[in-house]
Amino acid sequence: MNVDGADEAGWEGPEDETQAVVEAVGRQLKLWRKAAGMRPAEFAALMGYGENLIYKIERGVRIPRPEYLDKADEVLGAAGKIATMKEDLEQATYPKKVRDLAKLEAQAVELGAYSNHNLHGLLQTKEYTTALFEMRRPAYSQDEVERLVAARMARESIFERSPAPSLTFVQEEVTLCRPVGGRMVLRRQLEHLLELGQLRNVEIQVMPTDRDDHAGMGGRIQVLKFGDGSAVGRDDGQVTNGPINDPKEIRILELRYGIIRAQALTPRESLAFIEKALGET
């Protein structure tokens, strides 16, 4: 399992054509610049960005930020034509597997997740997430880290939805003790868990390491339920890597997750456990 805690893995559908969109936007920007009679260095100076970034964007290896497109529109006198490319790039900003999971989470009325290695992505602070992605091997580039962190943080809008979905999480004790990013990052992360645990629609439970009977030894489990009665799940122990849709398999996941919750500390006991861990950090 990757140390980046990529809980988005396993939810993605067929690959899309976002790279082609990024490359097309880069070509258009290059054409606009040339039509304006500007060399890359001159354009970079007017834009306030490095020349190397200009080359990367025009080659389609770097996704331009919305503010970059707005500035390019102004510098090149495009009268809004370049700025409208923001809509084309909106879907390419985050990896497809993240978009697929975020779409499911946005529709879910219930979410249940057991995590055994890192804190679940929806529970992570920005600093904790950044540390996870930065320690990944082989290493991500800084651009990739920023993109992945932004994508994971965007998913946390689920806590602001109305009506609020029911969210339950079971975390292994070790995920509350490992100082990912350092002690101060861990302290803020534990404080964040206590804040989330106070929300009426959120229940966080801790699975103590000393449990001698544990239904979650096969790895992470997650189940999302929707308003029409359908559900989709993921299980680290499954043979394939895609989402689980078969009702029989979903029932097995629900049964296993229910046993895991019963074996873990209660939500109240878990918050007390987290408070104790915070005091010792």
Side-chain angles (χ1 to χ4, degrees):
M1 182 181 299
N2 288 339
V3 298
D4 58 15
D7 54 23
E8 299 89 357
W11 298 103
E12 61 268 27
E15 288 300 318
D16 58 359
E17 303 299 326
T18 54
Q19 182 56 39
V21 174
V22 176
E23 292 174 357
V25 168
R27 287 194 298 270
Q28 287 297 315
L29 287 168
K30 185 176 182 178
L31 289 173
W32 274 97
R33 174 179 61 76
K34 286 189 171 183
M38 292 187 192
R39 294 182 177 277
E42 179 186 1
F43 181 57
L46 292 173
M47 287 285 291
Y49 292 94
E51 187 176 353
N52 187 47
L53 177 64
I54 305 299
Y55 282 119
K56 286 183 177 180
I57 289 176
E58 292 184 350
R59 294 202 315 270
V61 299
R62 177 80 178 266
I63 301 174
R65 297 179 182 273
E67 56 269 26
Y68 180 98
L69 295 175
D70 287 334
K71 184 65 175 179
D73 194 282
E74 175 187 339
V75 169
L76 298 173
K81 294 183 178 64
I82 292 178
T84 58
M85 295 180 187
K86 289 186 289 188
E87 299 177 10
D88 299 324
L89 289 173
E90 184 176 2
Q91 291 300 310
T93 302
Y94 304 142
K96 186 176 187 300
K97 62 183 179 181
V98 180
R99 299 199 311 272
D100 288 344
L101 177 55
K103 185 181 298 184
L104 292 173
E105 290 173 343
Q107 299 169 349
V109 295
E110 291 183 36
L111 180 153
Y114 161 67
S115 300
N116 63 346
H117 193 59
N118 300 306
L119 288 166
H120 190 278
L122 292 177
L123 300 176
Q124 296 173 10
T125 64
K126 183 177 181 180
E127 294 77 15
Y128 184 98
T129 300
T130 300
L132 281 178
F133 284 124
E134 286 182 340
M135 68 175 64
R136 193 255 197 185
R137 299 295 184 272
Y140 286 128
S141 68
Q142 191 57 40
D143 289 343
E144 289 174 316
V145 170
E146 292 178 4
R147 183 183 180 210
L148 291 167
V149 170
R152 185 163 292 181
M153 292 300 100
R155 286 172 48 214
E156 295 189 0
S157 62
I158 192 172
F159 294 107
E160 302 169 1
R161 276 179 45 197
S162 181
S166 173
L167 307 173
T168 64
F169 304 90
V170 180
Q171 290 289 154
E172 283 292 332
E173 177 182 342
V174 66
T175 65
L176 308 176
C177 304
R178 181 175 292 120
V180 173
R183 292 291 174 184
M184 292 307 298
V185 171
L186 177 59
R187 281 191 59 84
R188 175 59 192 128
Q189 178 62 71
L190 294 175
E191 291 170 350
H192 185 59
L193 291 178
L194 291 173
E195 293 168 4
L196 293 176
Q198 297 299 323
L199 298 177
R200 296 179 63 185
N201 63 312
V202 177
E203 291 189 342
I204 299 173
Q205 294 178 251
V206 176
M207 177 67 80
T209 301
D210 64 4
R211 287 291 193 262
D212 59 4
D213 190 13
H214 191 340
M217 296 303 289
R220 297 172 300 174
I221 292 174
Q222 184 158 320
V223 179
L224 297 167
K225 297 182 180 180
F226 308 102
D228 62 1
S230 63
V232 62
R234 185 198 59 191
D235 178 6
D236 271 357
Q238 69 191 69
V239 177
T240 59
N241 193 42
I244 298 172
N245 297 287
D246 182 82
K248 292 182 179 179
E249 295 185 43
I250 291 292
R251 283 197 294 272
I252 292 173
L253 284 185
E254 290 179 317
L255 172 63
R256 191 178 304 155
Y257 183 61
I259 296 173
I260 291 171
R261 291 197 69 191
Q263 293 170 332
L265 299 177
T266 67
R268 179 172 294 183
E269 292 170 337
S270 297
L271 290 182
F273 189 99
I274 295 170
E275 286 181 352
K276 183 175 182 292
L278 176 60
E280 297 173 349
T281 301

